[in-house]
mmCIF file of all heavy atoms in Angstrom:
data_model
loop_
_atom_site.group_PDB
_atom_site.id
_atom_site.type_symbol
_atom_site.label_atom_id
_atom_site.label_comp_id
_atom_site.label_asym_id
_atom_site.label_seq_id
_atom_site.Cartn_x
_atom_site.Cartn_y
_atom_site.Cartn_z
ATOM 1 N N ALA A 1 0.829 -1.201 0.000
ATOM 2 C CA ALA A 1 0.000 0.000 0.000
ATOM 3 C C ALA A 1 0.863 1.250 0.000
ATOM 4 O O ALA A 1 1.961 1.265 0.563
ATOM 5 C CB ALA A 1 -0.927 0.004 1.203
ATOM 6 N N SER A 2 0.356 2.287 -0.602
ATOM 7 C CA SER A 2 1.126 3.513 -0.760
ATOM 8 C C SER A 2 1.100 4.416 0.461
ATOM 9 O O SER A 2 2.041 5.173 0.688
ATOM 10 C CB SER A 2 0.619 4.293 -1.974
ATOM 11 O OG SER A 2 -0.734 4.685 -1.800
ATOM 12 N N ARG A 3 0.046 4.357 1.238
ATOM 13 C CA ARG A 3 -0.107 5.268 2.365
ATOM 14 C C ARG A 3 0.592 4.760 3.612
ATOM 15 O O ARG A 3 0.579 3.570 3.909
ATOM 16 C CB ARG A 3 -1.582 5.511 2.663
ATOM 17 C CG ARG A 3 -2.306 6.290 1.581
ATOM 18 C CD ARG A 3 -3.685 6.716 2.049
ATOM 19 N NE ARG A 3 -4.385 7.471 1.029
ATOM 20 C CZ ARG A 3 -4.246 8.767 0.831
ATOM 21 N NH1 ARG A 3 -3.426 9.470 1.601
ATOM 22 N NH2 ARG A 3 -4.926 9.377 -0.131
ATOM 23 N N VAL A 4 1.180 5.692 4.340
ATOM 24 C CA VAL A 4 1.858 5.357 5.583
ATOM 25 C C VAL A 4 0.858 4.843 6.615
ATOM 26 O O VAL A 4 1.122 3.871 7.321
ATOM 27 C CB VAL A 4 2.619 6.570 6.138
ATOM 28 C CG1 VAL A 4 3.218 6.249 7.503
ATOM 29 C CG2 VAL A 4 3.714 6.998 5.176
ATOM 30 N N ILE A 5 -0.292 5.498 6.696
ATOM 31 C CA ILE A 5 -1.335 5.059 7.608
ATOM 32 C C ILE A 5 -2.091 3.920 6.943
ATOM 33 O O ILE A 5 -3.014 4.121 6.156
ATOM 34 C CB ILE A 5 -2.278 6.215 7.971
ATOM 35 C CG1 ILE A 5 -1.493 7.371 8.597
ATOM 36 C CG2 ILE A 5 -3.360 5.734 8.932
ATOM 37 C CD1 ILE A 5 -2.323 8.588 8.902
ATOM 38 N N PHE A 6 -1.671 2.722 7.256
ATOM 39 C CA PHE A 6 -2.182 1.520 6.633
ATOM 40 C C PHE A 6 -3.015 0.691 7.596
ATOM 41 O O PHE A 6 -3.914 -0.046 7.170
ATOM 42 C CB PHE A 6 -1.000 0.692 6.100
ATOM 43 C CG PHE A 6 -1.382 -0.614 5.477
ATOM 44 C CD1 PHE A 6 -2.044 -0.659 4.263
ATOM 45 C CD2 PHE A 6 -1.060 -1.809 6.104
ATOM 46 C CE1 PHE A 6 -2.388 -1.863 3.674
ATOM 47 C CE2 PHE A 6 -1.389 -3.019 5.523
ATOM 48 C CZ PHE A 6 -2.050 -3.047 4.307
ATOM 49 N N ASP A 7 -2.734 0.801 8.877
ATOM 50 C CA ASP A 7 -3.387 -0.058 9.857
ATOM 51 C C ASP A 7 -4.879 0.220 10.005
ATOM 52 O O ASP A 7 -5.601 -0.619 10.549
ATOM 53 C CB ASP A 7 -2.695 0.055 11.222
ATOM 54 C CG ASP A 7 -2.653 1.473 11.749
ATOM 55 O OD1 ASP A 7 -2.669 2.423 10.953
ATOM 56 O OD2 ASP A 7 -2.587 1.633 12.992
ATOM 57 N N ALA A 8 -5.356 1.353 9.547
ATOM 58 C CA ALA A 8 -6.770 1.680 9.648
ATOM 59 C C ALA A 8 -7.615 1.027 8.554
ATOM 60 O O ALA A 8 -8.839 1.116 8.592
ATOM 61 C CB ALA A 8 -6.975 3.186 9.615
ATOM 62 N N TYR A 9 -6.966 0.386 7.597
ATOM 63 C CA TYR A 9 -7.667 -0.201 6.464
ATOM 64 C C TYR A 9 -7.938 -1.684 6.657
ATOM 65 O O TYR A 9 -7.072 -2.428 7.116
ATOM 66 C CB TYR A 9 -6.862 -0.015 5.176
ATOM 67 C CG TYR A 9 -6.817 1.408 4.676
ATOM 68 C CD1 TYR A 9 -5.900 2.315 5.188
ATOM 69 C CD2 TYR A 9 -7.693 1.834 3.689
ATOM 70 C CE1 TYR A 9 -5.865 3.622 4.733
ATOM 71 C CE2 TYR A 9 -7.651 3.139 3.228
ATOM 72 C CZ TYR A 9 -6.735 4.027 3.758
ATOM 73 O OH TYR A 9 -6.702 5.323 3.292
ATOM 74 N N THR A 10 -9.131 -2.074 6.295
ATOM 75 C CA THR A 10 -9.453 -3.479 6.154
ATOM 76 C C THR A 10 -8.973 -3.935 4.776
ATOM 77 O O THR A 10 -9.195 -3.248 3.778
ATOM 78 C CB THR A 10 -10.959 -3.714 6.296
ATOM 79 O OG1 THR A 10 -11.349 -3.420 7.639
ATOM 80 C CG2 THR A 10 -11.322 -5.152 5.972
ATOM 81 N N ILE A 11 -8.313 -5.083 4.732
ATOM 82 C CA ILE A 11 -7.720 -5.584 3.498
ATOM 83 C C ILE A 11 -8.341 -6.935 3.144
ATOM 84 O O ILE A 11 -8.494 -7.798 4.012
ATOM 85 C CB ILE A 11 -6.197 -5.745 3.613
ATOM 86 C CG1 ILE A 11 -5.559 -4.454 4.147
ATOM 87 C CG2 ILE A 11 -5.597 -6.138 2.263
ATOM 88 C CD1 ILE A 11 -5.700 -3.272 3.222
ATOM 89 N N GLY A 12 -8.644 -7.105 1.883
ATOM 90 C CA GLY A 12 -9.194 -8.364 1.416
ATOM 91 C C GLY A 12 -8.431 -8.896 0.220
ATOM 92 O O GLY A 12 -7.829 -8.132 -0.539
ATOM 93 N N TRP A 13 -8.448 -10.207 0.079
ATOM 94 C CA TRP A 13 -7.907 -10.873 -1.097
ATOM 95 C C TRP A 13 -9.047 -11.479 -1.893
ATOM 96 O O TRP A 13 -9.917 -12.162 -1.340
ATOM 97 C CB TRP A 13 -6.903 -11.960 -0.718
ATOM 98 C CG TRP A 13 -5.538 -11.438 -0.393
ATOM 99 C CD1 TRP A 13 -4.999 -11.260 0.835
ATOM 100 C CD2 TRP A 13 -4.529 -11.044 -1.336
ATOM 101 N NE1 TRP A 13 -3.716 -10.780 0.734
ATOM 102 C CE2 TRP A 13 -3.404 -10.628 -0.590
ATOM 103 C CE3 TRP A 13 -4.464 -10.996 -2.727
ATOM 104 C CZ2 TRP A 13 -2.226 -10.182 -1.196
ATOM 105 C CZ3 TRP A 13 -3.304 -10.542 -3.325
ATOM 106 C CH2 TRP A 13 -2.204 -10.140 -2.566
ATOM 107 N N PHE A 14 -9.014 -11.226 -3.181
ATOM 108 C CA PHE A 14 -10.003 -11.733 -4.119
ATOM 109 C C PHE A 14 -9.278 -12.452 -5.247
ATOM 110 O O PHE A 14 -8.075 -12.281 -5.432
ATOM 111 C CB PHE A 14 -10.838 -10.597 -4.726
ATOM 112 C CG PHE A 14 -11.604 -9.772 -3.736
ATOM 113 C CD1 PHE A 14 -10.963 -8.885 -2.891
ATOM 114 C CD2 PHE A 14 -12.990 -9.865 -3.666
ATOM 115 C CE1 PHE A 14 -11.670 -8.102 -1.989
ATOM 116 C CE2 PHE A 14 -13.712 -9.088 -2.775
ATOM 117 C CZ PHE A 14 -13.053 -8.215 -1.935
ATOM 118 N N ARG A 15 -10.012 -13.229 -6.000
ATOM 119 C CA ARG A 15 -9.443 -13.819 -7.199
ATOM 120 C C ARG A 15 -10.516 -13.937 -8.269
ATOM 121 O O ARG A 15 -11.702 -13.989 -7.974
ATOM 122 C CB ARG A 15 -8.827 -15.190 -6.930
ATOM 123 C CG ARG A 15 -9.832 -16.290 -6.633
ATOM 124 C CD ARG A 15 -9.118 -17.598 -6.336
ATOM 125 N NE ARG A 15 -10.050 -18.677 -6.050
ATOM 126 C CZ ARG A 15 -9.680 -19.890 -5.637
ATOM 127 N NH1 ARG A 15 -8.381 -20.164 -5.468
ATOM 128 N NH2 ARG A 15 -10.601 -20.816 -5.395
ATOM 129 N N GLN A 16 -10.060 -13.979 -9.502
ATOM 130 C CA GLN A 16 -10.961 -14.181 -10.625
ATOM 131 C C GLN A 16 -10.333 -15.191 -11.568
ATOM 132 O O GLN A 16 -9.322 -14.911 -12.211
ATOM 133 C CB GLN A 16 -11.252 -12.872 -11.357
ATOM 134 C CG GLN A 16 -12.338 -13.000 -12.406
ATOM 135 C CD GLN A 16 -12.905 -11.656 -12.824
ATOM 136 O OE1 GLN A 16 -12.302 -10.615 -12.587
ATOM 137 N NE2 GLN A 16 -14.073 -11.679 -13.440
ATOM 138 N N ALA A 17 -10.936 -16.359 -11.614
ATOM 139 C CA ALA A 17 -10.465 -17.425 -12.477
ATOM 140 C C ALA A 17 -10.999 -17.213 -13.886
ATOM 141 O O ALA A 17 -12.005 -16.525 -14.084
ATOM 142 C CB ALA A 17 -10.912 -18.773 -11.936
ATOM 143 N N PRO A 18 -10.346 -17.806 -14.870
ATOM 144 C CA PRO A 18 -10.821 -17.663 -16.252
ATOM 145 C C PRO A 18 -12.269 -18.101 -16.407
ATOM 146 O O PRO A 18 -12.641 -19.200 -15.992
ATOM 147 C CB PRO A 18 -9.879 -18.579 -17.043
ATOM 148 C CG PRO A 18 -8.633 -18.623 -16.227
ATOM 149 C CD PRO A 18 -9.105 -18.592 -14.803
ATOM 150 N N GLY A 19 -13.079 -17.238 -16.972
ATOM 151 C CA GLY A 19 -14.469 -17.555 -17.212
ATOM 152 C C GLY A 19 -15.369 -17.504 -15.992
ATOM 153 O O GLY A 19 -16.536 -17.882 -16.084
ATOM 154 N N LYS A 20 -14.860 -17.040 -14.872
ATOM 155 C CA LYS A 20 -15.650 -16.981 -13.653
ATOM 156 C C LYS A 20 -15.674 -15.568 -13.088
ATOM 157 O O LYS A 20 -14.877 -14.717 -13.459
ATOM 158 C CB LYS A 20 -15.095 -17.947 -12.609
ATOM 159 C CG LYS A 20 -15.177 -19.415 -13.005
ATOM 160 C CD LYS A 20 -14.717 -20.313 -11.878
ATOM 161 C CE LYS A 20 -14.839 -21.775 -12.253
ATOM 162 N NZ LYS A 20 -14.389 -22.657 -11.134
ATOM 163 N N GLU A 21 -16.612 -15.346 -12.191
ATOM 164 C CA GLU A 21 -16.731 -14.053 -11.542
ATOM 165 C C GLU A 21 -15.716 -13.921 -10.416
ATOM 166 O O GLU A 21 -15.167 -14.909 -9.926
ATOM 167 C CB GLU A 21 -18.150 -13.862 -11.008
ATOM 168 C CG GLU A 21 -19.216 -13.828 -12.093
ATOM 169 C CD GLU A 21 -20.599 -13.586 -11.543
ATOM 170 O OE1 GLU A 21 -20.753 -13.516 -10.308
ATOM 171 O OE2 GLU A 21 -21.540 -13.459 -12.345
ATOM 172 N N ARG A 22 -15.488 -12.701 -10.012
ATOM 173 C CA ARG A 22 -14.557 -12.439 -8.936
ATOM 174 C C ARG A 22 -15.069 -13.048 -7.636
ATOM 175 O O ARG A 22 -16.258 -13.001 -7.331
ATOM 176 C CB ARG A 22 -14.337 -10.939 -8.784
ATOM 177 C CG ARG A 22 -13.173 -10.569 -7.895
ATOM 178 C CD ARG A 22 -12.774 -9.120 -8.098
ATOM 179 N NE ARG A 22 -12.311 -8.874 -9.453
ATOM 180 C CZ ARG A 22 -11.818 -7.716 -9.875
ATOM 181 N NH1 ARG A 22 -11.722 -6.694 -9.038
ATOM 182 N NH2 ARG A 22 -11.426 -7.574 -11.134
ATOM 183 N N GLU A 23 -14.142 -13.600 -6.873
ATOM 184 C CA GLU A 23 -14.482 -14.331 -5.667
ATOM 185 C C GLU A 23 -13.727 -13.758 -4.470
ATOM 186 O O GLU A 23 -12.505 -13.599 -4.514
ATOM 187 C CB GLU A 23 -14.129 -15.814 -5.854
ATOM 188 C CG GLU A 23 -14.391 -16.700 -4.657
ATOM 189 C CD GLU A 23 -13.915 -18.122 -4.878
ATOM 190 O OE1 GLU A 23 -13.099 -18.348 -5.800
ATOM 191 O OE2 GLU A 23 -14.360 -19.020 -4.137
ATOM 192 N N LEU A 24 -14.446 -13.472 -3.414
ATOM 193 C CA LEU A 24 -13.838 -13.007 -2.178
ATOM 194 C C LEU A 24 -13.287 -14.188 -1.406
ATOM 195 O O LEU A 24 -14.005 -15.153 -1.140
ATOM 196 C CB LEU A 24 -14.870 -12.248 -1.338
ATOM 197 C CG LEU A 24 -14.465 -11.836 0.079
ATOM 198 C CD1 LEU A 24 -13.223 -10.959 0.069
ATOM 199 C CD2 LEU A 24 -15.633 -11.125 0.763
ATOM 200 N N LEU A 25 -12.030 -14.116 -1.030
ATOM 201 C CA LEU A 25 -11.360 -15.226 -0.371
ATOM 202 C C LEU A 25 -11.183 -15.006 1.126
ATOM 203 O O LEU A 25 -11.690 -15.774 1.944
ATOM 204 C CB LEU A 25 -9.994 -15.472 -1.004
ATOM 205 C CG LEU A 25 -9.970 -15.768 -2.500
ATOM 206 C CD1 LEU A 25 -8.532 -15.884 -2.981
ATOM 207 C CD2 LEU A 25 -10.751 -17.040 -2.800
ATOM 208 N N LEU A 26 -10.435 -13.991 1.465
ATOM 209 C CA LEU A 26 -10.064 -13.738 2.843
ATOM 210 C C LEU A 26 -10.078 -12.251 3.123
ATOM 211 O O LEU A 26 -9.931 -11.430 2.219
ATOM 212 C CB LEU A 26 -8.666 -14.298 3.135
ATOM 213 C CG LEU A 26 -8.520 -15.815 3.144
ATOM 214 C CD1 LEU A 26 -7.070 -16.199 2.906
ATOM 215 C CD2 LEU A 26 -9.003 -16.379 4.463
ATOM 216 N N CYS A 27 -10.214 -11.932 4.391
ATOM 217 C CA CYS A 27 -10.268 -10.541 4.799
ATOM 218 C C CYS A 27 -9.637 -10.403 6.173
ATOM 219 O O CYS A 27 -9.777 -11.289 7.020
ATOM 220 C CB CYS A 27 -11.721 -10.077 4.826
ATOM 221 S SG CYS A 27 -11.974 -8.339 5.213
ATOM 222 N N ILE A 28 -8.943 -9.314 6.381
ATOM 223 C CA ILE A 28 -8.400 -9.028 7.698
ATOM 224 C C ILE A 28 -8.717 -7.582 8.040
ATOM 225 O O ILE A 28 -8.473 -6.666 7.257
ATOM 226 C CB ILE A 28 -6.884 -9.322 7.763
ATOM 227 C CG1 ILE A 28 -6.378 -9.197 9.197
ATOM 228 C CG2 ILE A 28 -6.091 -8.436 6.818
ATOM 229 C CD1 ILE A 28 -5.002 -9.823 9.388
ATOM 230 N N SER A 29 -9.288 -7.391 9.204
ATOM 231 C CA SER A 29 -9.728 -6.074 9.616
ATOM 232 C C SER A 29 -8.579 -5.281 10.214
ATOM 233 O O SER A 29 -7.488 -5.791 10.458
ATOM 234 C CB SER A 29 -10.862 -6.195 10.630
ATOM 235 O OG SER A 29 -10.383 -6.703 11.860
ATOM 236 N N SER A 30 -8.854 -4.011 10.460
ATOM 237 C CA SER A 30 -7.855 -3.156 11.091
ATOM 238 C C SER A 30 -7.531 -3.609 12.510
ATOM 239 O O SER A 30 -6.446 -3.329 13.020
ATOM 240 C CB SER A 30 -8.328 -1.703 11.100
ATOM 241 O OG SER A 30 -9.558 -1.573 11.790
ATOM 242 N N SER A 31 -8.462 -4.310 13.129
ATOM 243 C CA SER A 31 -8.243 -4.836 14.469
ATOM 244 C C SER A 31 -7.511 -6.169 14.469
ATOM 245 O O SER A 31 -7.181 -6.686 15.535
ATOM 246 C CB SER A 31 -9.575 -4.982 15.201
ATOM 247 O OG SER A 31 -10.399 -5.941 14.573
ATOM 248 N N GLY A 32 -7.275 -6.726 13.283
ATOM 249 C CA GLY A 32 -6.557 -7.983 13.173
ATOM 250 C C GLY A 32 -7.425 -9.211 13.067
ATOM 251 O O GLY A 32 -6.900 -10.330 13.030
ATOM 252 N N THR A 33 -8.717 -9.031 13.016
ATOM 253 C CA THR A 33 -9.634 -10.162 12.892
ATOM 254 C C THR A 33 -9.651 -10.673 11.460
ATOM 255 O O THR A 33 -9.938 -9.922 10.529
ATOM 256 C CB THR A 33 -11.049 -9.768 13.316
ATOM 257 O OG1 THR A 33 -11.027 -9.305 14.670
ATOM 258 C CG2 THR A 33 -11.987 -10.963 13.220
ATOM 259 N N ALA A 34 -9.362 -11.944 11.301
ATOM 260 C CA ALA A 34 -9.331 -12.566 9.979
ATOM 261 C C ALA A 34 -10.609 -13.351 9.730
ATOM 262 O O ALA A 34 -11.133 -14.007 10.630
ATOM 263 C CB ALA A 34 -8.121 -13.476 9.846
ATOM 264 N N THR A 35 -11.077 -13.300 8.503
ATOM 265 C CA THR A 35 -12.296 -13.995 8.107
ATOM 266 C C THR A 35 -12.071 -14.708 6.786
ATOM 267 O O THR A 35 -11.528 -14.133 5.853
ATOM 268 C CB THR A 35 -13.472 -13.021 7.960
ATOM 269 O OG1 THR A 35 -13.667 -12.313 9.185
ATOM 270 C CG2 THR A 35 -14.753 -13.769 7.620
ATOM 271 N N ASN A 36 -12.494 -15.951 6.729
ATOM 272 C CA ASN A 36 -12.439 -16.723 5.496
ATOM 273 C C ASN A 36 -13.818 -16.754 4.869
ATOM 274 O O ASN A 36 -14.801 -17.099 5.533
ATOM 275 C CB ASN A 36 -11.947 -18.142 5.775
ATOM 276 C CG ASN A 36 -11.728 -18.946 4.513
ATOM 277 O OD1 ASN A 36 -12.671 -19.261 3.790
ATOM 278 N ND2 ASN A 36 -10.478 -19.286 4.242
ATOM 279 N N TYR A 37 -13.888 -16.430 3.588
ATOM 280 C CA TYR A 37 -15.159 -16.368 2.888
ATOM 281 C C TYR A 37 -15.355 -17.500 1.891
ATOM 282 O O TYR A 37 -16.449 -17.626 1.329
ATOM 283 C CB TYR A 37 -15.288 -15.040 2.136
ATOM 284 C CG TYR A 37 -15.441 -13.839 3.028
ATOM 285 C CD1 TYR A 37 -14.332 -13.192 3.555
ATOM 286 C CD2 TYR A 37 -16.706 -13.344 3.336
ATOM 287 C CE1 TYR A 37 -14.469 -12.088 4.373
ATOM 288 C CE2 TYR A 37 -16.853 -12.239 4.153
ATOM 289 C CZ TYR A 37 -15.728 -11.612 4.670
ATOM 290 O OH TYR A 37 -15.869 -10.507 5.478
ATOM 291 N N ALA A 38 -14.340 -18.288 1.658
ATOM 292 C CA ALA A 38 -14.406 -19.312 0.620
ATOM 293 C C ALA A 38 -14.009 -20.673 1.163
ATOM 294 O O ALA A 38 -12.866 -20.875 1.583
ATOM 295 C CB ALA A 38 -13.508 -18.939 -0.557
ATOM 296 N N ASP A 39 -14.945 -21.596 1.121
ATOM 297 C CA ASP A 39 -14.660 -22.950 1.585
ATOM 298 C C ASP A 39 -13.586 -23.631 0.746
ATOM 299 O O ASP A 39 -12.868 -24.500 1.241
ATOM 300 C CB ASP A 39 -15.938 -23.791 1.561
ATOM 301 C CG ASP A 39 -16.945 -23.360 2.607
ATOM 302 O OD1 ASP A 39 -16.540 -22.733 3.601
ATOM 303 O OD2 ASP A 39 -18.146 -23.665 2.433
ATOM 304 N N SER A 40 -13.464 -23.223 -0.499
ATOM 305 C CA SER A 40 -12.516 -23.852 -1.402
ATOM 306 C C SER A 40 -11.059 -23.621 -1.011
ATOM 307 O O SER A 40 -10.181 -24.376 -1.423
ATOM 308 C CB SER A 40 -12.749 -23.362 -2.835
ATOM 309 O OG SER A 40 -12.565 -21.963 -2.930
ATOM 310 N N VAL A 41 -10.797 -22.591 -0.216
ATOM 311 C CA VAL A 41 -9.427 -22.300 0.178
ATOM 312 C C VAL A 41 -9.205 -22.456 1.673
ATOM 313 O O VAL A 41 -8.094 -22.216 2.168
ATOM 314 C CB VAL A 41 -8.997 -20.886 -0.263
ATOM 315 C CG1 VAL A 41 -9.169 -20.734 -1.764
ATOM 316 C CG2 VAL A 41 -9.789 -19.820 0.478
ATOM 317 N N LYS A 42 -10.230 -22.844 2.379
ATOM 318 C CA LYS A 42 -10.119 -23.034 3.820
ATOM 319 C C LYS A 42 -9.047 -24.072 4.129
ATOM 320 O O LYS A 42 -8.959 -25.099 3.490
ATOM 321 C CB LYS A 42 -11.462 -23.475 4.387
ATOM 322 C CG LYS A 42 -11.481 -23.585 5.903
ATOM 323 C CD LYS A 42 -12.856 -24.003 6.404
ATOM 324 C CE LYS A 42 -12.877 -24.115 7.917
ATOM 325 N NZ LYS A 42 -14.213 -24.551 8.402
ATOM 326 N N ASP A 43 -8.219 -23.771 5.109
ATOM 327 C CA ASP A 43 -7.119 -24.622 5.561
ATOM 328 C C ASP A 43 -5.956 -24.673 4.577
ATOM 329 O O ASP A 43 -4.970 -25.376 4.828
ATOM 330 C CB ASP A 43 -7.594 -26.047 5.872
ATOM 331 C CG ASP A 43 -8.631 -26.094 6.973
ATOM 332 O OD1 ASP A 43 -8.537 -25.281 7.912
ATOM 333 O OD2 ASP A 43 -9.543 -26.942 6.896
#
């Protein structure tokens, strides 16, 4: 990230496979709480 103040941002990872829609995978909040949104990548 370009900004020095980065810890206030929630960050997510997404992916888009060929021929498919964008998929939300994982997210981590500014407080450090992580959330998994995709069973296909769990574990």
Side-chain angles (χ1 to χ4, degrees):
S2 62
R3 292 191 180 276
V4 175
I5 302 176
F6 178 70
D7 57 333
Y9 289 83
T10 293
I11 309 295
W13 280 102
F14 300 72
R15 70 182 180 187
Q16 188 163 17
K20 296 185 178 180
E21 296 182 356
R22 192 164 297 185
E23 178 185 18
L24 172 58
L25 302 176
L26 291 158
C27 184
I28 188 165
S29 70
S30 59
S31 65
T33 301
T35 303
N36 186 294
Y37 291 86
D39 291 338
S40 61
V41 303
K42 185 179 180 181
D43 299 325

